[in-house]
Amino acid sequence: MNSAAARGLASIEGGSPPATERTPLLQQCVVPSSPESVLDLSSPNLEAQKNLLDLKSRRETSPLPQAQLITLCLVRIVVPISFTQIFPYINEFIEFLGVTDSSQIGFFSGFVESSFAISQLLFIYHWARLSDRFGRRPIIIIGTLGVAVMTMVFGLANSIPELIVYRCLAGFFGATASVIHTVLGEITDSTNQAAAFPLYGITGPVGSIIGPLIGGSLSNPAQKFSQITDTPKLLTRLVLFLQRHPYFLPGLVSGIISLLGVALAYFCLDESLPSRRRPITQNGVEPHANSTSESELGDDPSFPKLPSARTLLSIPIIRALSLSGFALEMNGTSFVVLFVLFCYTPIEQGGLAFPPSVIGYALAFTGLIAGLTQLFLMPIFLRRFEAAKIYSVCMAVWPLVFLVLPCLNIIARYGSHYGLDGADGLDRVSGELGQLGNHTKAISWVGVFVALTLSRVGGIAYPASMILIKNNVPCPSYLGSTNGLVQWFMCLSRCVSAAFASSAFAVSAKYNILGGHFWAVLHALIAVGGWWLARDISLSSKSTLSS
């Protein structure tokens, strides 16, 4: 007698009703896949047993697809590197191209930065739809390769129109970023997303560290290393080339990093689109079998198979995520633009007069804070609190971020000791704060630290938004299009926020509105509006906590 029959006989002998001629054979013989899955079919509480086993299975954490997650993170990091490496030197680059009016530098830098987002806005939803048809992997490879090439040629521009054209093309290829978000949603589920999303989210902060460091350290290298005179003939030609194109080197290095991302995507990244997934098993389990697309959701027949943007926006939670995503991106993009302008502007005009190298180090420090927050705090928050609550609290932090910055200028104005020539004594080349007293220096840097830390706390809303999209998508086939739609709203925000922020800063400085700090009050009010939009998400969002 086999073990299953023995268990069946034992259950019969244990008090079950005796078998008759009409009793189905092996009615009480259940071959279990695990000890917990044995059901007493004769029990009147059979449904309660099933519910209990379902609850236990939901509590089991699905293993992370570590190889795919690491590959995805390494591919993802090239976009923030390429995007942020221009921030430390973009103002100097525009001045190098012939714009000498300091008030106009802010306008042109804003337009150059916004051109990237404008291209993303025009093509991000179309890239997402193409990935639903042709697969995620080829779209990611094409986009990363295009970003690499456009980043390299950016530093060769000889006019502002060329800068805008190269930046637009980089945005066109960078619009594939939403496809990478979709891949993450397809290889994870609700039981392991608290570990996966923070690891993925750290790529943005790490890229924000590396990008500004590259831009601030490698820009204008011929001037920085001009003391080296005994050089070979080939190196002399290289120095002359870098004198003609002083901002080519950071783009070249960033582009090479992007090419490494292309190689990783080609050789290591698997296709995650369910209809094109290869039937390869690992330890007897199909890759990504625990993904949201296959286990947690089912296609809803009430929705069309290929949704339009209007169809998606008719869903309240998707509409709320799209509108609040617009506000979130305006906060994040505006802060970066305003922080760079604020640090670069002389003290008497409302800034701190930092040189590009110091600005690069400050932005890198911001990325470090964000990385530590994502790595250590985000998993704890996601396991204890709903993602919608985290999102709302982070949105409420942004008004404070903008109001801290003008306080630093007030401290610098009243704490500076002017030199003999009446200048503010700040040295842009060395990065020293010049004649500021030690006490004022300390207070200023503490204030910078507080502002950057608050901005990174507010930035936790980004991965929270990704989780909310993943858990509230109406059916699996909508995940790519929904990510594309929300990213479209974020790109729309980037289109207007960079130019709007730099223009607000320039107008505030030119007309000395509120002591040149009108831009801070204006963006704080906008951030309050974004927090108000985020409140609607908590009312209609599904739970993101695994049972």
Side-chain angles (χ1 to χ4, degrees):
M1 181 183 296
N2 59 31
S3 60
R7 283 194 297 272
L9 179 60
S11 64
I12 295 175
E13 294 175 349
S16 299
T20 66
E21 293 180 354
R22 296 184 178 182
T23 302
L25 293 176
L26 301 180
Q27 175 183 5
Q28 302 191 20
C29 300
V30 180
V31 181
S33 60
S34 63
E36 293 86 351
S37 64
V38 179
L39 296 177
D40 184 3
L41 298 181
S42 65
S43 172
N45 297 322
L46 181 60
E47 190 65 28
Q49 294 181 59
K50 291 181 178 180
N51 293 337
L52 180 61
L53 293 181
D54 289 341
L55 180 61
K56 289 181 178 180
S57 65
R58 286 198 302 268
R59 287 178 175 174
E60 295 179 356
T61 302
S62 303
L64 280 175
Q66 296 181 0
Q68 288 302 290
L69 182 59
I70 293 174
T71 301
L72 197 66
C73 291
L74 294 176
V75 173
R76 171 71 178 90
I77 200 174
V78 304
V79 176
I81 289 176
S82 299
F83 181 72
T84 60
Q85 57 92 19
I86 75 167
F87 290 145
Y89 64 80
I90 184 61
N91 294 304
E92 274 194 350
F93 198 174
I94 291 175
E95 187 175 0
F96 173 78
L97 294 177
V99 179
T100 57
D101 188 348
S102 59
S103 63
Q104 294 298 316
I105 291 177
F107 284 110
F108 285 114
S109 65
F111 287 137
V112 171
E113 292 160 358
S114 295
S115 60
F116 185 96
I118 292 173
S119 291
Q120 280 190 317
L121 172 69
L122 296 176
F123 298 103
I124 191 168
Y125 188 69
H126 300 289
W127 280 119
R129 294 291 297 271
L130 286 174
S131 74
D132 287 338
R133 181 177 180 182
F134 298 105
R136 319 298 187 199
R137 184 172 173 271
I139 300 301
I140 291 174
I141 292 174
I142 293 172
T144 308
L145 179 61
V147 169
V149 175
M150 290 303 107
T151 302
M152 290 181 180
V153 301
F154 181 80
L156 298 176
N158 293 312
S159 65
I160 292 179
E162 285 186 51
L163 287 179
I164 296 175
V165 169
Y166 293 146
R167 201 65 172 162
C168 283
L169 290 174
F172 167 75
F173 291 106
T176 58
S178 67
V179 181
I180 305 179
H181 300 339
T182 302
V183 173
L184 180 65
E186 289 173 335
I187 66 175
T188 59
D189 59 25
S190 61
T191 64
N192 56 23
Q193 66 185 14
F197 276 79
L199 288 175
Y200 176 82
I202 202 176
T203 58
V206 171
S208 298
I209 294 174
I210 300 175
L213 283 177
I214 293 174
S217 302
L218 300 182
S219 62
N220 207 354
Q223 178 181 349
K224 292 179 180 179
F225 303 103
S226 59
Q227 66 275 15
I228 302 177
T229 55
D230 297 332
T231 58
K233 185 176 181 180
L234 179 62
L235 187 58
T236 302
R237 292 181 179 179
L238 177 61
V239 171
L240 293 176
F241 174 81
L242 293 177
Q243 287 177 345
R244 292 194 302 270
H245 304 285
Y247 305 100
F248 170 74
L249 187 58
L252 175 65
V253 174
S254 301
I256 292 174
I257 295 175
S258 297
L259 290 178
L260 294 177
V262 175
L264 278 172
Y266 183 81
F267 291 107
C268 303
L269 187 64
D270 292 337
E271 180 58 63
S272 65
L273 183 65
S275 62
R276 292 181 172 267
R277 189 175 297 165
R278 293 182 299 174
I280 299 176
T281 60
Q282 296 176 353
N283 299 326
V285 180
E286 182 180 350
H288 322 322
N290 293 318
S291 69
T292 302
S293 301
E294 294 179 333
S295 66
E296 294 185 297
L297 296 170
D299 284 333
D300 190 340
S302 63
F303 291 103
K305 191 171 183 180
L306 293 176
S308 64
R310 178 175 296 182
T311 300
L312 293 175
L313 290 175
S314 66
I315 305 170
I317 183 63
I318 303 301
R319 183 170 60 250
L321 286 168
S322 299
L323 294 177
S324 63
F326 179 94
L328 172 61
E329 190 62 37
M330 172 163 277
N331 291 335
T333 303
S334 296
F335 175 76
V336 174
V337 173
L338 290 171
F339 182 79
V340 172
L341 283 172
F342 174 75
C343 291
Y344 183 79
T345 302
I347 286 181
E348 66 273 11
Q349 296 182 17
L352 293 179
F354 286 172
S357 58
V358 173
I359 296 174
Y361 297 146
L363 292 176
F365 177 72
T366 305
L368 176 63
I369 296 174
L372 295 176
T373 303
Q374 294 276 351
L375 190 61
F376 296 107
L377 296 182
M378 192 65 180
I380 298 175
F381 291 160
L382 289 175
R383 291 188 179 98
R384 297 186 179 183
F385 306 103
E386 293 286 352
K389 185 65 175 179
I390 297 173
Y391 187 80
S392 179
V393 171
C394 292
M395 292 293 288
V397 172
W398 281 106
L400 299 177
V401 174
F402 293 106
L403 294 177
V404 168
L405 293 180
C407 298
L408 304 183
N409 174 253
I410 295 174
I411 293 173
R413 285 189 181 188
Y414 285 94
S416 60
H417 300 283
Y418 290 93
L420 296 177
D421 58 354
D424 58 15
L426 299 179
D427 187 352
R428 294 186 184 276
V429 176
S430 66
E432 297 294 329
L433 289 177
Q435 299 300 319
L436 288 180
N438 292 331
H439 184 66
T440 304
K441 288 181 183 179
I443 296 177
S444 298
W445 280 109
V446 168
V448 169
F449 174 80
V450 170
L452 296 178
T453 302
L454 287 175
S455 71
R456 293 308 90 199
V457 172
I460 294 178
Y462 284 101
S465 173
M466 292 172 56
I467 292 176
L468 289 170
I469 294 170
K470 172 183 175 292
N471 283 272
N472 289 281
V473 67
C475 58
S477 60
Y478 282 23
L479 184 57
S481 299
T482 303
N483 268 313
L485 180 65
V486 176
Q487 290 294 314
W488 184 89
F489 274 89
M490 289 187 171
C491 289
L492 177 61
S493 178
R494 281 196 292 270
C495 287
V496 299
S497 58
F500 178 81
S502 58
S503 299
F505 189 95
V507 170
S508 300
K510 184 176 182 179
Y511 297 101
N512 197 31
I513 305 175
L514 295 181
H517 301 143
F518 170 73
W519 55 270
V521 177
L522 176 62
H523 281 82
L525 293 175
I526 294 174
V528 171
W531 167 76
W532 183 82
L533 287 172
R535 297 186 309 165
D536 294 338
I537 296 177
S538 300
L539 303 177
S540 53
S541 175
K542 297 178 183 178
S543 175
T544 57
L545 297 176
S546 59
S547 302

